[in-house]
Amino acid sequence: MSGKPVTSTQSRAILICSGKGGVGKTTLTANLGVALAKQGARTAVLDADFGLRNLDLLLGLENRIVYTAQEVLSGSCRLEQALVKHKQEPNLSLLPAGNPRMLEWLTPEDMKKITDLLAEQFDYVLIDCPAGIEDGFKNAAAACREALVVTTPEVSAVRDADRVIGLLQTRGIEPIQLVLNRVRPRMMANQEMLSVSDVTDILALPLLGLVLEDEQVIVSTNRGEPLTLNGSRSPAGQAYTNVARRLRGEEVPLADPSKEGQGLRAKLGRLMHTKIF
Amino acid sequence: MTLRDFIDKLLGRQPASAGMARQRLQLVLAHDRSDLNPELLEQMRREILEVVSRYVEIDLEEGDVSLETEDRVTALVANLPIKRARPKPLPPGGDPSMATI
């Protein structure tokens, strides 16, 4: 991707996308943003889902929005005025999505402009992409050099992820890494859910993280406090923290949940999946 | 076949669904990625069979031309059991048995 101004810091603009809706893009963006900030990286999260914005809600910042990306673009406010700094985690700022009517005039150049502005001040710019592969996705993709694709072990989510990966690759976005969300180890052990290797083999992407299905995610969204904010020991909270660490280049081992257990059930599960002929 | 599949079969139970998910996905993705519509694929299949059967007699019942995908690379795979070689290749469009394909 040419034509991007070289910023003094090595800022990374990362698209978080999935194709299918409801697989956990916004939850990943919020948790990853908080985790990166806690690890000392200056992080901005940009809500590129102008039609159905929710990132503010998951971060608990919905009441503190004054200006949005819209006012920044039209020049009626400065970037600093629109950025909402997280109270508990000052390394993290949100640039809220503007009015849904922005969709009528927003161009890929606009998204690039905003991202480049953010890249001057932040180490990480996470862009929460809208579902689908239409204009909203194209605008957001134009602003990024790398991408995280979120999917779940379900046929529809994997199929949609595959479409998105194809589109990202033709745009020269690199690296593209995978986060497998809402994994249910017991179903995987019983072969009633696509396994981790099924998904990574099919999509042929490096796996950056594995997040177990976890009720605490819902609790945390109710409160507007991402799991990574208070160092939650819940499985999903830890998984998101590990995604952040891997993104920053740290080596954190990934365990295959269907092979992990030491209990009788897990052993029996493994026995049942041994090829006999 | 895994032990689980075997027991399922013995008990007449439905096999575990993950295998089905995998197969169905691989098929649908092969088509998504190739961007070939079924009609074109069918036409290509017919022409391939036609050309091959000018040189060898193939088992049309067993023959199969399909798209397979692995590591994001889609391949056209033709599996055409050969009954016998023809002593002399037929001219283009020369095999009357192909008219029914």
Side-chain angles (χ1 to χ4, degrees), chain A residues 112-165:
Chain A
K112 263 176 102 163
K113 197 172 134 194
I114 292 190
T115 310
D116 288 342
L117 278 175
L118 289 168
E120 287 170 17
Q121 298 181 27
F122 294 93
D123 303 317
Y124 287 87
V125 181
L126 306 182
I127 302 181
D128 186 18
C129 184
I133 50 173
E134 294 80 30
D135 286 350
F137 165 78
K138 287 172 190 160
N139 289 340
C144 296
R145 263 179 261 194
E146 51 183 303
L148 296 186
V149 175
V150 191
T151 191
T152 63
E154 290 159 80
V155 285
S156 52
V158 174
R159 183 191 195 179
D160 292 358
D162 189 78
R163 287 292 302 276
V164 163
I165 294 163

Side-chain angles (χ1 to χ4, degrees), chain A residues 155 159 162 165-166 169 190-193 198 202-204 272-274 276-277, chain B residues 1-4 6-7 16-18 21-22 25-26 28-29 32-33 71-72:
Chain A
V155 285
R159 183 191 195 179
D162 189 78
I165 294 163
Q169 284 174 339
N190 288 335
Q191 291 235 322
E192 298 290 4
M193 180 173 255
D198 284 342
I202 287 172
L203 298 179
M272 295 299 260
H273 304 132
T274 328
I276 47 174
F277 50 85
Chain B
M1 180 180 270
T2 66
L3 193 54
R4 160 78 186 255
F6 183 67
I7 293 171
S17 60
R22 197 164 41 232
L25 257 175
Q26 269 159 352
V28 80
L29 289 183
D32 283 357
R33 288 171 184 171
D71 276 348
R72 304 200 60 79

